[in-house]
Amino acid sequence: MIKKSIFIALLSVTILFQGCGNQDKNEEANSMLSSNEFILTSTNNTQYVVKKEAEGFVVENTKGKVIIFDIFATWCPPCQASAKHLTSLQKKFKNDLVVLGITIEDNIANSKLEEFKEKYDADYTILNSDRNRPLVNAIANALKLGERFPIPLMAMYKDGKLITHYVGEVQEEFVESDIKRALGK
């Protein structure tokens, strides 16, 4: 009986302290709202605002364009091989496509990413920000891939709607076909 009373008392105290936090309601609400917006910085210090919407992700000022989020790492051979294909697609669909490379490497220097761009002909925007990881996780969760997934991972959206996604290396022709389909060409 005493053990039961002690257990109930400890449980009550635990529940009481679980409800007490040092974050007020406004801060909590703001953090929940901001979890749907990601402000990312490219290697040339341009900022991109990505917002999570009901069906997917949108990048500010890209209405009508196809967006490819290329989630990669500089040390990944398939990611290195994909870079020249993404550059080719960016050139072919210059006015209709935005390729955003999002590195999963934390605390990587912009100079190392610039070296990657030069070495692997990655002539598109590469984002290097402390918000990369939260965006990568949000995209992976939206695609129901879980916390651990292979790279490269490419997710293609148009006006916030998922067109398709690719896990691992993919042929340029397949991606091009999906871009054309998304653009109605």
Side-chain angles (χ1 to χ4, degrees):
M1 184 72 166
I2 291 177
K3 286 183 182 180
K4 189 175 181 181
S5 297
I6 291 173
F7 175 74
I8 290 173
L10 285 174
L11 182 62
S12 298
V13 169
T14 302
I15 291 171
L16 174 71
F17 284 111
Q18 288 291 328
C20 298
N22 58 3
Q23 188 178 40
D24 70 22
K25 300 257 187 238
N26 288 336
E27 286 178 11
E28 189 174 315
N30 286 336
S31 70
M32 286 172 40
L33 287 174
S34 66
S35 68
N36 288 328
E37 183 174 280
F38 307 87
I39 300 172
L40 304 158
T41 305
S42 69
T43 55
N44 67 359
N45 291 320
T46 302
Q47 288 197 327
Y48 291 83
V49 178
V50 179
K51 294 180 182 176
K52 170 86 172 90
E53 292 190 347
E55 293 185 49
F57 297 85
V58 294
V59 178
E60 229 173 54
N61 302 318
T62 60
K63 186 162 179 58
K65 295 184 179 189
V66 172
I67 308 298
I68 294 179
F69 294 106
D70 174 41
I71 299 168
F72 78 102
T74 58
W75 46 261
C76 163
C79 302
Q80 295 163 352
S82 294
K84 69 179 177 188
H85 299 299
L86 290 170
T87 296
S88 172
L89 292 167
Q90 182 71 80
K91 288 178 180 174
K92 284 180 190 175
F93 297 97
K94 186 178 184 176
N95 298 320
D96 298 318
L97 175 67
V98 176
V99 177
L100 297 175
I102 307 171
T103 179
I104 62 167
E105 297 166 271
D106 296 325
N107 302 317
I108 187 169
N110 280 345
S111 59
K112 184 155 172 98
L113 291 171
E114 289 298 329
E115 287 173 21
F116 173 87
K117 287 178 74 165
E118 189 173 321
K119 184 173 183 179
Y120 298 104
D121 191 30
D123 191 17
Y124 51 87
T125 300
I126 293 187
L127 303 169
N128 188 20
S129 175
D130 61 350
R131 297 289 290 161
N132 279 19
R133 183 65 71 167
L135 176 58
V136 166
N137 291 342
I139 291 170
N141 287 336
L143 298 173
K144 299 181 181 5
L145 296 175
E147 290 183 22
R148 297 188 179 265
F149 51 87
I151 54 172
L153 167 63
M154 285 185 242
M156 184 185 301
Y157 292 89
K158 183 176 180 212
D159 298 329
K161 183 177 179 194
L162 177 67
I163 304 302
T164 190
H165 75 280
Y166 314 95
V167 178
E169 193 169 357
V170 63
Q171 297 297 316
E172 182 177 332
E173 293 79 17
F174 293 138
V175 181
E176 182 175 354
S177 174
D178 288 331
I179 293 169
K180 287 179 178 177
R181 183 173 47 87
L183 293 171
K185 294 184 178 185

